Amino acid sequence: MIKKNAAGTVLCAAVFLTFLHAPLWPEEAAGKPDSAISDSTTVNLTISSLPEAALGITEKLSIPFLRGDSPLTEGNNLSASFTAEFTPVSINGYAEFVWTPLAFLQFVSGGRAGSGWNIELFGSDVRGIGLNRRRADGTAWTDAEAFGGLTWMVKAGAVFQFDAASLFPGDWNHVVLRLYQELNFSSFSSAKAGESWYYANDFGENRNGQNYYASYLFGYQMPRKPLFLDMTALMAEQYRFLCHVPGGDAWGDDLDRWVFSALFNFSFTGWFSTALITQVRTMRNFSSNTADLEFYQDRRMADGNPLRLEFYRVAAIFSFKLRQPADGALRKLSE
């Protein structure tokens, strides 16, 4: 049976943690010189209730671009972030570029590249990379070797974000909304067209091709940070394969996969914060006579409700800012 995700990174949480520290409305830009570049270095340590962990270091650069005098444009900028990430079964590099032409709108592009290896932990296989193959007798096996190929992904997306305090000023009015839509293309260099592969010990149902991802966040920024809590939010994430194979609807390949999260961010100092995340997710309901089949394409959807909701994980991200603009990282363009 394909194991549940046991060693992958908590990517959605890491993205959300970055969002927590970026102002939805450009109040922080007010008073800063238009010619200033800001940069920061952050280390994130992620752990969860699953046997998984990730350590990442991110360098972020923000450059003022086409700034205006109105509240909608005074914070316009271009930003670039570069991350090196290490997990027990993989090493990855990420790059992301964000253009903010208006306070409520962002355009995002970027990508990821990395490789991995497989280990055995507590008697279970933890697959960082590899092909998910089917034997003639119907059993599944992992065709993999350490650094046996490169996994990579490129993406393009857009963000709409809104802070109610921008229309109704007040410390207690920071009700925030963030909607993100993304198209991406992912690939494993050792996989041929139509072959399935693992990434970060997921279910092994990835195939080279296009995918759709979206996230919907509704949150509240605390005005006085009780017990260091500065933000709470609910988030829904939507995943969909766009590279379908003939007959894929039989095992639910055409169904959206959803992850629902409750998020709490605690800021203890200007350089240390922690995000706590509780997640549930949708799972497909297979017919009783196929649910235990090892290779996922041999399973068949049950009649009636195709999905069920189950507990996923509890995760924590510890964020340490090694450098930030307040520490002297602001520089003049003319320098």
Side-chain angles (χ1 to χ4, degrees), residues 89 115-119 128-130 143-149:
V89 290
S115 193
W117 53 91
N118 304 312
I119 63 175
I129 199 170
D143 183 2
E145 59 181 24
F147 300 103

Side-chain angles (χ1 to χ4, degrees), residues 3-36:
K3 305 295 190 300
K4 294 182 180 180
N5 189 328
T9 61
V10 192
L11 293 178
C12 66
V15 170
F16 178 72
L17 184 61
T18 301
F19 164 71
L20 288 177
H21 296 286
L24 282 178
W25 209 258
E27 297 136 345
E28 294 183 11
K32 290 185 179 180
D34 288 343
S35 59

Side-chain angles (χ1 to χ4, degrees), residues 14-188:
V15 170
F16 178 72
L17 184 61
T18 301
F19 164 71
L20 288 177
H21 296 286
L24 282 178
W25 209 258
E27 297 136 345
E28 294 183 11
K32 290 185 179 180
D34 288 343
S35 59
I37 297 176
S38 66
D39 60 348
S40 62
T41 304
T42 305
V43 173
N44 291 325
L45 173 64
T46 302
I47 59 175
S48 86
S49 55
L50 297 173
E52 63 184 2
L55 178 66
I57 181 168
T58 299
E59 177 70 18
K60 184 176 181 179
L61 180 69
S62 182
I63 304 172
F65 183 70
L66 298 179
R67 285 191 173 176
D69 297 326
S70 74
L72 288 176
T73 60
E74 64 183 3
N76 287 6
N77 67 86
L78 292 171
S79 68
S81 61
F82 305 93
T83 300
E85 181 194 67
F86 307 89
T87 80
V89 290
S90 67
I91 180 171
N92 294 280
Y94 298 83
E96 184 173 78
F97 306 92
V98 180
W99 175 35
T100 306
L102 293 170
F104 58 84
L105 182 65
Q106 293 179 330
F107 296 102
V108 181
S109 63
R112 167 191 56 80
S115 193
W117 53 91
N118 304 312
I119 63 175
E120 184 176 323
L121 184 66
F122 305 122
S124 298
D125 293 328
V126 180
R127 306 174 179 91
I129 199 170
L131 296 170
N132 184 8
R133 296 194 180 278
R134 182 187 187 278
R135 295 188 178 95
D137 62 1
T139 58
W141 65 289
T142 304
D143 183 2
E145 59 181 24
F147 300 103
L150 179 73
T151 63
W152 58 272
M153 180 269 291
V154 292
K155 67 178 182 179
V159 174
F160 171 82
Q161 54 190 12
F162 174 75
D163 185 344
S166 62
L167 295 180
F168 308 100
D171 291 342
W172 295 89
N173 297 338
H174 287 282
V175 177
V176 298
L177 176 69
R178 184 178 191 268
L179 309 177
Y180 176 62
Q181 302 286 311
E182 172 188 302
L183 291 175
N184 65 68
F185 184 96
S186 62
S187 179
F188 177 35

